[in-house]
Amino acid sequence: MSYAYEGLATVGVLALYRGQPANKLTTLKLNIRVRNVDPKRFRIEFDRYLQGPKEANAVQVVLPGGLLLQGPIVDGSNQPDGGWLLIDVEQYELPSEPPANLNGWKWE
């Protein structure tokens, strides 16, 4: 089976629980391999231990070009020499520029 993507990506590992603030640890320039398991499920493989918050339950992967894969962790393994995560995802294209009309909202 071939990979849908192989190369560097930004990977955020999150602990998201109702009633608690989100906890996220991001790894920049992580060498990954993404494999399509089925239309809404991906397997992300990596070659080193992936840092994340205790009791992480979700992941975000930003690929070069702005494709964002994110979703809950279904299964996985994280060892000192690498591992994998199986996630249910929805794909999003990140915009290259902010929208023209933000109705007065801006990042402070």
Side-chain angles (χ1 to χ4, degrees), residues 1-30:
M1 182 186 295
S2 64
Y3 294 109
Y5 174 78
E6 189 171 2
L8 297 178
T10 299
V11 179
V13 180
L14 300 99
L16 299 172
Y17 294 96
R18 189 172 308 183
Q20 298 178 15
N23 188 0
K24 178 179 178 182
L25 286 174
T26 302
T27 303
L28 304 174
K29 297 183 180 179
L30 180 66

Side-chain angles (χ1 to χ4, degrees), residues 16-66:
L16 299 172
Y17 294 96
R18 189 172 308 183
Q20 298 178 15
N23 188 0
K24 178 179 178 182
L25 286 174
T26 302
T27 303
L28 304 174
K29 297 183 180 179
L30 180 66
N31 190 37
I32 66 165
R33 293 166 305 283
V34 177
R35 190 175 280 187
N36 292 339
V37 175
D38 64 42
K40 295 219 175 210
R41 190 168 277 184
F42 284 78
R43 178 180 165 115
I44 300 164
E45 301 171 357
F46 38 94
D47 298 330
R48 63 182 173 98
Y49 185 81
L50 183 57
Q51 297 291 328
K54 184 178 180 181
E55 300 178 10
N57 62 350
V59 68
Q60 291 179 331
V61 178
V62 181
L63 302 177

Side-chain angles (χ1 to χ4, degrees), residues 60-81:
Q60 291 179 331
V61 178
V62 181
L63 302 177
L67 182 65
L68 171 67
L69 306 172
Q70 64 182 8
I73 298 170
V74 176
D75 197 3
S77 175
N78 193 17
Q79 303 297 322
D81 59 348

